[in-house]
Amino acid sequence: MKILIINGPNLNLLGKREEGIYGSVSFDDYFAILQSKFSADNIEYYQSNHEGDIIDMLHKAGFGDADGIVLNAGAYTHTSIAISDAIRAIKAPVIEVHISNVSAREEYRHKSYIAPSCIGTITGFGLDSYRLAIEALKAR
């Protein structure tokens, strides 16, 4: 199975940024663990701080390049109707993930514009949210 993980803005700073919320492990280090755990699958990773680049990657992966997409849109979760529309437009299933429990954080983080476009949401399990999303895609 080919799965693409897409991370949005500031997630390139994992391991350095707000460790009390996001932990001390970089995504590159965690990604190596995922690749090892799911060695029979083709798992790729893309990160961008730019909304249009995320949309372009959703389009590319969503029409045949990927069997499923794990998306942590970061702050764009709470602002981007354009990313929501891109998810609705593609064929590949998308699971929204968040490292922290966004419902237990600031009020503005409680609304996800992308959740209604996704097949599901996994939030609050730290980096393990990505593993759970991959397992959910594989179980479909």
Side-chain angles (χ1 to χ4, degrees):
M1 182 169 204
K2 183 171 181 181
I3 297 172
L4 176 64
I5 297 170
I6 300 176
N7 275 344
N10 300 310
L11 291 165
N12 57 306
L13 299 177
L14 289 175
K16 303 175 198 172
R17 166 190 182 215
E18 298 177 276
E19 291 181 20
I21 296 172
Y22 300 105
S24 59
V25 177
S26 74
F27 194 80
D28 288 337
D29 289 344
Y30 183 70
F31 185 64
I33 294 167
L34 286 176
Q35 286 182 307
S36 176
K37 178 166 183 56
F38 298 102
S39 60
D41 300 296
N42 180 1
I43 300 176
E44 297 181 4
Y45 165 57
Y46 175 79
Q47 189 278 327
S48 179
N49 293 315
H50 305 283
E51 183 179 31
D53 293 343
I54 293 167
I55 292 167
D56 289 343
M57 186 55 73
L58 284 165
H59 291 171
K60 181 178 185 300
F63 285 107
D65 280 0
D67 298 309
I69 299 169
V70 175
L71 173 62
N72 184 341
Y76 288 136
T77 299
H78 320 291
T79 64
S80 183
I81 295 168
I83 290 176
S84 180
D85 286 348
I87 295 166
R88 287 180 193 273
I90 64 176
K91 295 182 188 289
V94 178
I95 295 180
E96 173 188 20
V97 301
H98 296 285
I99 296 166
S100 67
N101 179 356
V102 292
S103 296
R105 295 186 61 194
E106 303 91 343
E107 183 72 29
Y108 66 86
R109 294 187 196 274
H110 296 183
K111 169 74 172 158
S112 170
Y113 283 97
I114 67 172
S117 302
C118 296
I119 62 167
T121 300
I122 299 172
T123 179
F125 293 95
L127 289 173
D128 211 31
S129 295
Y130 293 92
R131 178 191 59 80
L132 295 168
I134 291 168
E135 289 177 354
L137 284 171
K138 288 175 62 67
R140 283 193 58 147

